[in-house]
Amino acid sequence: MVRIIEVGPRDGLQNEAASIPTTSKLAFVRALLESGLREIEVTSFVSPKWVPQLGDAAELWPPLAELAREFGPRSVPVPPSDPAVKSWESEGGETPALADEPLFSALIPNAKGLERALEVGVRRIAVFTAASDSFTRKNINMTIDESLAVFQDVIAAFRSVEPNGWVRGYVSTAFECPLEGRVLPSETVRVASRLAALGCDEISIGDTLGVAAPTEVRALTRLLVSHIPKPQLAYHFHDTRGTAIANVAEALEQGIMAFDSSAGGLGGCPYAPGAGGNVATEDVVYFLERTGVPTGIDLRTLAQASLPILEQLGRPVSAKAQRAVLSA
Amino acid sequence: MVRIIEVGPRDGLQNEAASIPTTSKLAFVRALLESGLREIEVTSFVSPKWVPQLGDAAELWPPLAELAREFGPRSVPVPPSDPAVKSWESEGGETPALADEPLFSALIPNAKGLERALEVGVRRIAVFTAASDSFTRKNINMTIDESLAVFQDVIAAFRSVEPNGWVRGYVSTAFECPLEGRVLPSETVRVASRLAALGCDEISIGDTLGVAAPTEVRALTRLLVSHIPKPQLAYHFHDTRGTAIANVAEALEQGIMAFDSSAGGLGGCPYAPGAGGNVATEDVVYFLERTGVPTGIDLRTLAQASLPILEQLGRPVSAKAQRAVLSA
């Protein structure tokens, strides 16, 4: 079983000009849960001054706790394997347990954000840095090392309140930086290893620009897994140039078991300059299920989940497997 | 060097409700040539009664012959290899010669179509069958065997007039049929082998529904190449569910050197029921170049080529690498 970490509510909405009402966000999360998704990054405790679209982070939490109870533990039926498809698991894949109950996480940019998150009971947090100094300077106004120093304190403070909490570390621009160009795999591995050393339970490796080809994913993954255990790694691909599913396929081939994605391909703006959203959860689910890797997610239900949000954003349905399912 | 066979003018336009004027088609072909593409399937000599959109097949040919002279032999500069990407060729790929001058082909459904094509000097033809009997019955009103009998005569008649002509055979529904469901690899290989035995220079294996995952491509390719030499094989992927580039990557990994695609992802209707176009040439070129496989095609020029046609069809730009290039 491969884990899919849905990032649409956070990564998909943070760059939108339009603000989505809190009730719509909650309806979106409910629809995602109904499709079978269980790991969802729902928001960021970034200052509302900087990202007003996510300014309702604290308000979201109490109703999310209710949703978590409502959608509590489930049993995940593993579908009968399709004999026409060579099973991925028969090729030596491991099968970690899939989350049984909803797991909501939130991005934490700094100590102030952590404080706000802990007040409402957030138990799963994510911190965000990059493999390129120029990018972190521009994006979060710190060098990589400065950001890691901040996160060391954030993680320590979080653990002291939530000793059984969960921490994810993002390494963005893992393949290429808009300012520096190609990023060496060794640089990405260096930052990922530092995050692991800070106690991150999972490291998510991001192709922020959506430029990577599978050969690069292969090279980076082989180097990564020589430093960090495979079950601790996830990939976060953007599908800006059509290579995301090929990259998921290659990472899966290399034994990676967790992928970030966004329902409806939310994120970036498909019809505006600088286009490029997250890989669509629908495309990832279709690919995995067709490959014989069960996901526990119902593609038909999932394809409906992002429709109200797309409508509010004035976006057409553009995720391929979503469109195919909706028109079938 | 990998060959890209552009099928936009034929496969991309044949199902369109709108008819594109002949002059627009010629401008489209010119733009494709300017991008560096050299193998283009430009039309079908199907009865204008059935496909009025391609009713100008014969009219196209004389101006195409002029274009072929104008864009005559070229030298293909191989770009310096990118050290950040592991070269595909260093992994044992072969490098067949790339077409130096424009090569235009046309689909030939029957003896009558061949007659019309030979009258205007067509030297490269394609015939079209499928791996599923139900599909060929519905699509071309013949069983597979009946279609092969027709093609045997068509190919013989063609060779008698054009002994140095070139023949391509299509095997559609190679993975799945809309009527019969999954198609066994052995069935696809059987039909492909029959086409090879009829003297087809190239066999193009089509994922008509755009459903295949790379594991299936791997299994089918391994069986295919045990019957047909690799340089004689091409793949024709549709990107209906986001798996096309992953499938190209897997086929390339298995040593396949020729891929059909359509500029702007023309074909099918991205925003209508039954959606699903050809894989976009832009996405294939981006993937190959980023992988370190030279194509001789300029992505910026290519991204412009389909814009006038998309506008006439009232379609937004939806091919990912095209959008990324245009917004850069």
Side-chain angles (χ1 to χ4, degrees), chain A residues 204-225:
Chain A
S204 178
I205 306 294
D207 178 16
T208 312
L209 303 189
V211 293
T215 40
E216 295 162 78
V217 173
R218 184 181 305 175
L220 176 58
T221 308
R222 286 182 178 166
L223 195 60
L224 275 168
V225 301

Side-chain angles (χ1 to χ4, degrees), chain B residues 43-55:
Chain B
T43 190
S44 169
F45 284 83
V46 66
S47 165
K49 245 193 331 199
W50 297 111
V51 187
Q53 299 91 319
L54 304 183

Side-chain angles (χ1 to χ4, degrees), chain A residues 1-74:
Chain A
M1 191 76 92
V2 161
R3 291 167 49 225
I4 295 180
I5 298 91
E6 169 66 39
V7 298
R10 193 275 302 172
D11 200 14
L13 300 182
Q14 70 182 6
N15 293 319
E16 292 295 338
S19 247
I20 300 292
T22 307
T23 51
S24 300
K25 290 180 188 173
L26 288 167
F28 182 32
V29 171
R30 169 182 286 278
L32 294 169
L33 293 171
E34 280 166 353
S35 78
L37 281 160
R38 283 299 175 267
E39 297 191 54
I40 307 178
E41 192 171 277
V42 283
T43 190
S44 169
F45 284 83
V46 65
S47 164
K49 246 194 328 200
W50 297 112
V51 188
Q53 300 92 318
L54 304 183
D56 58 357
E59 288 166 60
L60 277 173
W61 227 261
L64 286 175
E66 267 176 56
L67 278 177
R69 274 188 297 275
E70 181 182 340
F71 283 84
R74 62 167 180 176

Side-chain angles (χ1 to χ4, degrees), chain A residues 276-313:
Chain A
N278 289 281
V279 62
T281 308
E282 289 86 348
D283 288 358
V284 175
V285 169
Y286 178 81
F287 158 74
L288 289 170
E289 293 281 341
R290 182 82 182 188
T291 302
V293 180
T295 62
I297 295 161
D298 181 71
L299 192 51
R300 297 195 167 275
T301 310
L302 175 62
Q304 304 281 346
S306 61
L307 293 182
I309 298 283
L310 288 169
E311 194 170 280
Q312 288 175 64
L313 296 172

Side-chain angles (χ1 to χ4, degrees), chain B residues 80-116:
Chain B
S81 65
D82 184 333
V85 176
K86 190 173 177 189
S87 165
W88 169 82
E89 291 185 5
S90 72
E91 290 182 349
E94 296 159 49
T95 303
L98 195 78
D100 222 22
E101 55 191 322
L103 300 173
F104 299 123
S105 60
L107 201 63
I108 304 295
N110 50 36
K112 175 77 191 151
L114 179 68
E115 202 178 299
R116 288 173 58 216

Side-chain angles (χ1 to χ4, degrees), chain B residues 23-70:
Chain B
T23 50
S24 299
K25 290 181 188 174
L26 287 167
F28 182 31
V29 172
R30 170 182 286 278
L32 295 169
L33 292 171
E34 280 167 352
S35 78
L37 280 160
R38 281 300 175 268
E39 297 191 55
I40 307 179
E41 192 172 275
V42 282
T43 190
S44 169
F45 284 83
V46 66
S47 165
K49 245 193 331 199
W50 297 111
V51 187
Q53 299 91 319
L54 304 183
D56 58 357
E59 288 167 61
L60 277 173
W61 227 261
L64 286 175
E66 267 177 56
L67 277 178
R69 275 188 296 274
E70 182 182 340

Side-chain angles (χ1 to χ4, degrees), chain A residues 180-198:
Chain A
E180 293 181 19
R182 295 283 178 119
V183 170
L184 290 175
S186 55
E187 263 312 291
T188 299
V189 170
R190 187 187 75 84
V191 178
S193 301
R194 296 272 309 269
L195 284 168
L198 291 185

